[in-house]
Amino acid sequence: IEQPTFPKITEMCVKMIRRVNDEEGIKKLVNETFQKLWFTPTPHHDKEAMTRKILNITDVVAACRDTGYDWFEQLLQNLLKSEEDASYKPVKKACTQLVDNLVEHILKYEESLSDSDNKGVNSGRLVACITTLFLFSKIRPQLMVKHAMTMQPYLTTKCSTQNDFMVICNVAKILELVVPLMEHPSETFLATIEEDLMKLIIKYGMTVVQHCVSCLGAVVNKVTQNYKFVWACFNRYYGALSKLKSQHQEDPNSTILTANKPALLRSLFTVGALCRHFDFDQEDFKGNSKVNIKDKVLELLMYFTKHSDEEVQTKAIIGLGFAFIQHPSLMFEQEVKTLYNSILSDKNCSVNLKIQVLKNLQTYLQEEDTRMQQADRDWKKVAKQEDLKEMGDISSGMSSSIMQLYLKQVLEAFFHTQSSVRHFALNVIALTLNQGLIHPVQCVPYLIAMGTDPEPSMRNKADQQLVEIDKKYAGFIHMKAVAGMKMSYQVQQAINTCPKDPVRGFRHDESSSALCSHLYSMIRGNRQHRRAFLISLLNLFDDTAKTEVNMLLYIADNLACFPYQTQEEPLFIMHHIDITLSVSGSNLLQSFKESMVKDKKKEKKPSSDEETESDSNSGSESESEEEASKPRRLRKRVDSESDSDEENDINAVMKCLPENSAPLIEFANVSQGILLLLMLKQHLKNLCGFSDSKIQKYSPSESAKVYDKAINRKTGVHFHPKQTLDFLRSDMANSKITEEVKRSIVKQYLDFKLLMEHLDPDEEEEDGEVSASTNARNKAITSLLGGGSPKNNAAETEDDESDGEDRGGGTSGVRRR
């Protein structure tokens, strides 16, 4: 306002106006700013200010050409709504001024063009002016009524550039809104419009055809009732299609068909577009003929969806989509259901066809939405005299049934590798949920999964839907959270371009936040829900859950990177990791031992050692009690043989291995879950800087306040479970077992055993022993997790199963002190 010539004004306006849907405070500011800037009436004599205002508005509109104009409509609606009941209406007055001056500006601009040499070149400025007029007519079509006659000649623009097409489409859209509001328009004016539109429909491409047919629909249905004119056009294209169909039936490979392909594509599209806007089964069109036009059209279009050429299939599906908007009941036809569902669910089906089917459903829902809003407005006008009982809402019942039919396939499209397919699937689901056509609970896991999409716009849209559901139905998100996490893993698998690389659960950017962090932040506020969610995730690591290793890695990544805020959260996880370790760990050792063959000569030493280790029934209550009494007995035994060399143990166990290596592989596989939990505990300990004693003292039953302190996160602590990554990369589970691999698995088993012996430092009586046990435990952990200790070089401490594949299983270091 102060410096109207400042060069960055457009950019500033664009940035401000995009916030028109923010929270109330910002919304109010944006509205006030633009009311001052654009929507305050300008004094009549100040022509310069008016021109400046018009240039500013059209610049902003031109700048937003690619991002859409929702903001402008929103702004106009907000401003006009705010003064509906006021006696003085400055915004309305300003809009009238703007529209009149825009039209004047366009005419002047035309004159200046016709005087200069570059005649007939439609510049971006003209497009921006006409687009702005369209945006005004979309919100208040009355403003344009007196200018309709001025706009009509633009339909005859010679089309050579993209801008020319934009002009024609926008003029068609303006006339579509405005002509039905004109009082007694002249016959010649209407006839000219009809002819201009028809010429455009016959001559130009898809976008033009679509807008012109739409405009023709408004003019013919609401004003001229010139049905014969449209019927002739429909018959022309319908006849061509029938003829092409019979030719194709006679000889699918005939050369005539190849030559006629453009005609075929145009006919498919135009027949569909005409059916969208005109109901040809009315008597006005077909007279007293008994033929059912919509079924005939369906049959024709369905025929071409089975064509060998993908382009023809796509056009036929577009045509079907148009026809379904006029006659939604056709979507219940068995052949249509089969077509749509097979395209959506078939993995090998072309991406273009999938996207087109999703677009069809999207357009149908958008049209339904517009129709409902219109019905709503009409209803408000007459609501006072009508009886509510009479207002049955049939159409929403129809669209609800339609979405129930296709819902599962649309949701499954979230698992597609192409982001464009996921994008349209998400749009369809968002529309369906916003219109309340389905129960939201079935979508929750899929939306959680889409919240991990690499594209920020899709993540935000999915998260937004979850927030809406959470507002209306508390507890739904928590109920489906674990299912959602598992699904998000499937989405990540689908997106993963390099199948060799394991799927990870955090973002590979500077934030390295968990992929499911939004889900966690929604659940963490409720302590009960949060704990139940974390326990369910940790239960997946249990050896009985048989979760695949890569999914465990994905979940561990998320648990490592969730946005924890209080100390209670990580401490609770570590507490439960310890419980899981004591149960799963001893089950694991027990099953490995049961698979070993007793070796007579060597039985004395290792076997007796093994036997004492755990004779408990795996998984039973008694096991954990025995576990508690074991360590002391065992430690004495280990101390008494302090010089027994680990090398001997490995050889001893190697001799007892069965011929069949399946139990070994099984051990390697199941142990990954336990290794990941160990890694996760170490990571959380390092990240939050907890001491062993603090972790030991924690009790989940203590009051919430004790651990309510905020976490001091250390920077640069990353979760990198090397063993599991190597295990997955070398595809250990499916590869051949060599001596070295066996050796490294046995070594891991022994380290594991040592760890299990020293798992609970709580039971030690004397101070000296505590440190010895803790020391042994930490050594075992270091050894298991591949950390270096001074006595061993790195190659020896990295004792992953896959190790043996690429290096000799160096296992000499004496670790059992």
Side-chain angles (χ1 to χ4, degrees), residues 11 100 162 231 282 359 369-370 397 403 444 503 554 697-698 709 715 733 767 786 815:
E11 200 180 319
D100 296 349
Q162 181 61 37
W231 180 241
Q282 287 177 352
K359 272 186 183 167
D369 200 31
T370 318
M403 282 323 295
V444 171
V503 173
Y554 176 78
K697 281 180 198 148
Y698 170 79
K709 294 186 190 121
T715 48
D767 296 343
R815 267 189 215 81

Side-chain angles (χ1 to χ4, degrees), residues 58 61-62 65 69 102 106 109 121-134 161-168 170-171 174:
T58 50
V61 168
R65 182 168 164 177
Y69 304 112
L102 269 167
I106 292 175
Y109 184 76
V121 178
N122 275 323
S123 72
R125 171 72 61 198
L126 180 66
V127 175
C129 287
I130 290 186
T131 309
T132 313
L133 283 176
F134 162 60
T161 64
Q162 181 61 37
N163 282 342
D164 302 337
F165 285 113
M166 297 275 292
V167 168
I168 284 189
N170 279 315
V171 170
I174 292 172

Side-chain angles (χ1 to χ4, degrees), residues 231 234-235 238 275 280-281 286 289-298:
W231 180 241
F234 171 73
N235 271 321
Y238 178 82
C275 286
F280 290 110
D281 281 315
K286 61 175 187 181
S289 150
K290 291 282 173 282
V291 183
N292 187 332
I293 304 285
K294 70 169 191 276
D295 292 351
K296 285 278 181 207
V297 170
L298 178 69

Side-chain angles (χ1 to χ4, degrees), residues 492-511:
Q492 292 305 313
Q493 265 184 317
I495 295 167
N496 188 11
T497 42
C498 176
K500 269 273 188 249
D501 279 343
V503 173
R504 300 302 302 267
F506 55 83
R507 296 221 161 81
H508 299 282
D509 55 18
E510 63 285 348
S511 71

Side-chain angles (χ1 to χ4, degrees), residues 431-443:
L431 282 164
T432 311
L433 287 170
N434 292 342
Q435 291 178 34
L437 301 178
I438 52 169
H439 196 291
V441 74
Q442 46 203 343
C443 298

Side-chain angles (χ1 to χ4, degrees), residues 4 43 56 59 114 135 152 204 256 271 273 370 404 439 449 451 471 586-587 631 699 715 730 791 804:
N56 180 223
D59 279 339
S114 58
L135 294 173
Q152 179 265 321
Y204 291 115
I256 308 172
V271 163
T370 318
Q404 303 283 0
H439 196 291
K471 271 186 209 156
S586 32
N587 287 356
S699 154
T715 48
S730 66
K791 283 193 190 131

Side-chain angles (χ1 to χ4, degrees), residues 188-204:
T188 44
F189 167 67
L190 293 173
T192 317
I193 287 188
E194 287 179 344
E195 278 166 31
D196 290 345
L197 290 170
M198 195 54 78
K199 282 178 195 156
L200 291 167
I201 291 170
I202 291 165
K203 191 170 173 189
Y204 291 115

